[in-house]
């Protein structure tokens, strides 16, 4: 069982940056693949990025490649999402999630979810 709590969301102007954090509690954080998803108003939840157990491999949605970076610190049980060059279309609630295999982009594959953090990018 893993409990996930996101933080770091907020309001930022287009072109700005934010770093999201997701703190995990429970056992064996390093046994989980971690992912970030987002859900914009009126849309379904979509894959953003994922990172393997050790952090050696990562995967990104085409829409964020080159702008977002996922990382993890297993000693701190935390996964991060550094978001640069933000665009208004990045506005969404961002969720972190835990899975047991990599790479996985399907929402249904992830077993544990946080409550989400709002990111709003103004033009």
């Amino acid at each position: 069982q893993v409990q996930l709590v996101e933080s770091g969301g907020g309001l930022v102007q287009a072109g700005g940056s934010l770093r999201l954090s997701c703190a995990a509690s429970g056992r064996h954080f390093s046994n989980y693949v971690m992912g970030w998803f987002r859900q914009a108003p009126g849309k379904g939840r979509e894959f953003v990025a994922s990172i393997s157990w050790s952090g050696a491999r990562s995967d990104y949605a085409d829409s964020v490649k080159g702008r977002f970076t996922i990382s993890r610190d297993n000693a701190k049980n935390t996964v991060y999402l550094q978001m640069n060059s933000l665009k208004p279309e990045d506005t969404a609630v961002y969720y972190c999630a835990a899975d047991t295999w990599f790479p996985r982009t399907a929402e249904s594959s992830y077993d544990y979810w946080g409550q989400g953090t709002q990111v709003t990018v103004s033009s």
Side-chain angles (χ1 to χ4, degrees):
Q1 190 85 8
V2 177
Q3 293 81 41
L4 304 172
V5 179
E6 302 95 335
S7 61
L11 174 64
V12 64
Q13 288 189 332
S17 299
L18 279 175
R19 188 175 83 153
L20 305 182
S21 299
C22 174
S25 59
R27 300 178 66 182
H28 308 306
F29 176 71
S30 60
N31 287 355
Y32 291 93
V33 169
M34 299 302 297
W36 285 97
F37 287 74
R38 66 186 181 186
Q39 187 168 19
K43 296 186 177 181
R45 195 146 50 181
E46 66 173 358
F47 171 78
V48 175
S50 64
I51 190 165
S52 63
W53 307 264
S54 68
R57 293 181 291 167
S58 56
D59 187 30
Y60 296 92
D62 287 344
S63 59
V64 306
K65 278 181 183 176
R67 300 189 298 122
F68 292 10
T69 302
I70 189 170
S71 62
R72 67 189 297 163
D73 185 338
N74 285 345
K76 296 182 177 180
N77 284 10
T78 302
V79 62
Y80 305 97
L81 186 68
Q82 177 66 44
M83 305 185 295
N84 298 330
S85 302
L86 282 161
K87 305 175 181 179
E89 51 263 44
D90 294 317
T91 295
V93 177
Y94 283 71
Y95 300 88
C96 72
D99 193 4
T100 54
W101 200 249
F102 180 88
R104 290 277 181 86
T105 61
E107 177 185 356
S108 59
S109 299
Y110 285 75
D111 300 314
Y112 303 102
W113 292 84
Q115 83 290 349
T117 185
Q118 176 71 46
V119 171
T120 303
V121 185
S122 63
S123 57

